[in-house]
Amino acid sequence: MNITIYGKANCAGCDQAKNLMEAKGQEYKYVDITQNPEAMQMFRTRGFRAVPQIFDGEAHVGGVAELQTLVG
């Protein structure tokens, strides 16, 4: 797995996703979209309106519920 969590500060779902990955001992990358212009542009291009948005490599996983299914 090559998980990237796109989120922002003060986001309960983002914290939940990060905590899940840490609890499972899985490595992940976290990108704060408010601090990363390229990530913000990707959000706008894809029409995302909520965080977190989670990817496994280039494949869009979804949100926290989908991440829980993926990592078990």
Side-chain angles (χ1 to χ4, degrees), residues 3 10-11 15 17 23 28-29 32 34 38 50 53 55 57 61 63 65:
I3 300 296
N10 301 314
C11 166
D15 292 340
Y28 67 95
K29 179 179 176 184
D32 185 329
T34 65
E38 289 177 8
Q53 294 296 328
F55 286 76
V61 172

Side-chain angles (χ1 to χ4, degrees), residues 6-71:
Y6 292 91
K8 63 181 181 177
N10 301 314
C11 166
C14 303
D15 292 340
Q16 187 178 3
K18 292 186 288 183
N19 291 338
L20 174 64
M21 292 298 289
E22 290 167 11
K24 296 290 185 176
Q26 298 287 325
E27 291 186 21
Y28 67 95
K29 179 179 176 184
Y30 178 76
V31 179
D32 185 329
I33 64 167
T34 65
Q35 303 297 314
N36 185 313
E38 289 177 8
M40 182 62 80
Q41 182 60 40
M42 182 270 294
F43 252 63
R44 289 183 178 135
T45 300
R46 290 184 174 225
F48 295 138
R49 295 185 174 261
V51 289
Q53 294 296 328
I54 302 166
F55 286 76
D56 184 0
E58 296 294 318
H60 183 241
V61 172
V64 176
E66 293 82 7
L67 180 62
Q68 288 175 327
T69 299
L70 183 66
V71 298

